[in-house]
Amino acid sequence: MTKDVPHFSVKDPDYEARGRRSFANQTLMTTLGAALGDVQPGHVEIVMPFAPQILQQHGFVHAGAISAIVDTACGFAAMTLMPKGAGVLTTEFKINLMSPAKGERFIAVGRVIRPGNKLIITLGECFAETDGKRKLIALMTASMMVMDTPGIVD
Amino acid sequence: MTKDVPHFSVKDPDYEARGRRSFANQTLMTTLGAALGDVQPGHVEIVMPFAPQILQQHGFVHAGAISAIVDTACGFAAMTLMPKGAGVLTTEFKINLMSPAKGERFIAVGRVIRPGNKLIITLGECFAETDGKRKLIALMTASMMVMDTPGIVD
Amino acid sequence: MTKDVPHFSVKDPDYEARGRRSFANQTLMTTLGAALGDVQPGHVEIVMPFAPQILQQHGFVHAGAISAIVDTACGFAAMTLMPKGAGVLTTEFKINLMSPAKGERFIAVGRVIRPGNKLIITLGECFAETDGKRKLIALMTASMMVMDTPGIVD
Amino acid sequence: MTKDVPHFSVKDPDYEARGRRSFANQTLMTTLGAALGDVQPGHVEIVMPFAPQILQQHGFVHAGAISAIVDTACGFAAMTLMPKGAGVLTTEFKINLMSPAKGERFIAVGRVIRPGNKLIITLGECFAETDGKRKLIALMTASMMVMDTPGIVD
């Protein structure tokens, strides 16, 4: 898949600061050791190092931890395109886990494919990085519902 | 969906102890505060109390934590039907998140729908429990690949 | 999965006639030889006999034909619960194809799992029938968006 | 998504002729009016013109017809990488339907993302074309199982 970022128009110029505040409030991300990386309109990256507390029984990173960061990257990619005060809720996602999650760190990339008014469709990928080389290990598609009720969001 | 459990034939009578040992080795489950509940052939439950370290930005339990316990319940449901020495790997899952994850605790139920030789197809549900009442908040379908290489499993 | 039908409240008592008119306008269903069966609130069945014009290269019924009838059963199950004038649009579905589609006829069953105001979540199954015996061959989850713009629907 | 085709190594140099023979045996494709377009290693296109016999109740092309051509494009993309005599079976797919299927013709593109020995993971897209302009209307991820039993395939 391509690396170039489509040029989406943003409705809230403060989208990055808003996203970073919101991410900081996701305690699960802290628990998993995940950090927000690059944030651009319709494109968000999250980085999670290998850590002993997020594994499955074979010593690989648990599919649940991988899914959590890819889903979050997709949700925040959607959030970058939303107006101030609007929130986002994952209504569904599907993930194909293509290789065991072994590596030094894991980079989740979420991208907006279609920015609808009610639903934003996103594509997510997860790369395992070892010695600076990246391998695609998971592929996600996810639907994000736009929640326009101020107050319950941010 | 029905509560009655189909009668699958087990290939390893030690399936429950094997599952419990394997679950204890999933450090992510410990990190999330999740515990293995009922274990029957083709049917496994996992319970996770609400906890401050597993939330998203609105104070609900993160979809990633919910997905992790439902995926794990499905994987262990598949594992109950497998021969000694065989392992299980999620190749894909899809989850519909139908309501925000609020409640005192969350019960993930994984059930085998089709026990194939190469792929085991499972259906997962997650219920939010408050004051003893359960509400279905998530629905999953997942494919589990049977890994017959001894050594990399259990 | 259970056979008993949950009791949903209907907003349009004319739901069955409305559904049958709408189904008759789906030319793909006619092309596939599919017919609407049982229609109840939140529960719809579609029957499609084996036919030479709907096959894949091995002589089984094509996964696309199976998907089409299960998706349609899910969409019409959602439609039974909607007010007069509202329409339904599939926003996504996922199907696990568990066995090759061989049999005399195929019965798709769509059921509403969660009747939301914006999205209706459904579960679909497909059974292959031979000599009166049914085998579950496919499992679907699907999201139906409620379209409240009169005119473009029905 | 990118237009450039990754360079996969083929195991059967006759992959294109084999694919075209197999496609010709899919009677559903003929019934839908679909034709095989570009065939390259890990990349297959299928074209289906708008036609009155493949519609849903609002006059758009039925989601089932769209799903059928995208699933088929993914399956044939997988088949290009397989050895002579091996077959392919869709075990699951998920499709996000992002816009109503209106247009003069529909182009399904299937691409291999990960060519495993047991499972081949693919990404599918469908474009609606009107006046020479293409709009992405659907996004699929699909798992293809490699069937190495000679005889039941091709």
Side-chain angles (χ1 to χ4, degrees), chain B residues 6 8 42-43 74 77-78 80-81 110-115 120-123:
Chain B
F8 293 110
H43 181 113
C74 287
T80 61
L81 303 186
R111 285 182 290 154
V112 171
I113 300 296
R114 185 177 190 279
I120 295 178
I121 308 305
T122 58
L123 182 68

Side-chain angles (χ1 to χ4, degrees), chain B:
Chain B
M1 274 151 283
T2 182
K3 293 290 176 199
D4 69 307
V5 178
H7 295 286
F8 293 110
S9 58
V10 298
K11 292 169 182 163
D12 174 11
D14 193 39
Y15 69 87
E16 181 171 351
R18 183 160 57 100
R20 294 194 181 278
R21 282 195 304 272
S22 189
F23 188 89
N25 288 330
Q26 291 214 345
T27 61
L28 180 67
M29 290 298 110
T30 308
T31 298
L32 297 176
L36 196 52
D38 194 28
V39 174
Q40 294 184 40
H43 181 113
V44 164
E45 298 187 10
I46 292 174
V47 179
M48 178 176 71
F50 183 94
Q53 81 275 13
I54 59 172
L55 308 181
Q56 38 88 293
Q57 71 272 28
H58 307 149
F60 305 134
V61 172
H62 197 290
I66 297 296
S67 303
I69 60 169
V70 186
D71 166 42
T72 303
C74 287
F76 279 82
M79 201 190 281
T80 61
L81 303 186
M82 285 160 55
K84 191 173 164 59
V88 67
L89 208 60
T90 305
T91 64
E92 60 82 22
F93 71 78
K94 185 235 185 172
I95 188 164
N96 283 88
L97 299 150
M98 300 189 286
S99 295
K102 39 184 174 180
E104 297 160 4
R105 59 180 205 152
F106 301 88
I107 297 99
V109 181
R111 285 182 290 154
V112 171
I113 300 296
R114 185 177 190 279
N117 288 323
K118 293 177 179 174
L119 285 179
I120 295 178
I121 308 305
T122 58
L123 182 68
E125 295 164 292
C126 189
F127 299 89
E129 192 179 84
T130 306
D131 293 334
K133 272 187 282 194
R134 291 188 177 189
K135 179 184 180 179
L136 181 65
I137 62 165
L139 186 64
M140 178 182 285
T141 55
S143 301
M144 301 293 158
M145 182 173 269
V146 180
M147 309 292 288
D148 47 13
T149 317
I152 79 154
V153 295
D154 272 296

Side-chain angles (χ1 to χ4, degrees), chain A residues 22-23 25-29 31-32 51-58 60 62-65 67-69 71-72 76 79 87-100 147 152-154, chain B residues 22-23 25-29 31-32 51-60 62-65 67-69 71-72 76 79 87-98 100 147 152-154:
Chain A
S22 188
F23 187 89
N25 288 329
Q26 291 213 347
T27 61
L28 181 67
M29 290 297 110
T31 299
L32 296 176
Q53 81 274 14
I54 59 173
L55 308 181
Q56 37 88 291
Q57 72 272 27
H58 307 150
F60 305 135
H62 197 289
S67 302
I69 61 170
D71 166 42
T72 304
F76 280 82
M79 201 191 279
V88 68
L89 209 59
T90 305
T91 65
E92 60 82 21
F93 70 78
K94 184 234 183 173
I95 188 164
N96 283 87
L97 300 151
M98 301 189 286
S99 294
M147 309 293 288
I152 78 154
V153 294
D154 274 295
Chain B
S22 189
F23 188 89
N25 288 330
Q26 291 214 345
T27 61
L28 180 67
M29 290 298 110
T31 298
L32 297 176
Q53 81 275 13
I54 59 172
L55 308 181
Q56 38 88 293
Q57 71 272 28
H58 307 149
F60 305 134
H62 197 290
S67 303
I69 60 169
D71 166 42
T72 303
F76 279 82
M79 201 190 281
V88 67
L89 208 60
T90 305
T91 64
E92 60 82 22
F93 71 78
K94 185 235 185 172
I95 188 164
N96 283 88
L97 299 150
M98 300 189 286
M147 309 292 288
I152 79 154
V153 295
D154 272 296

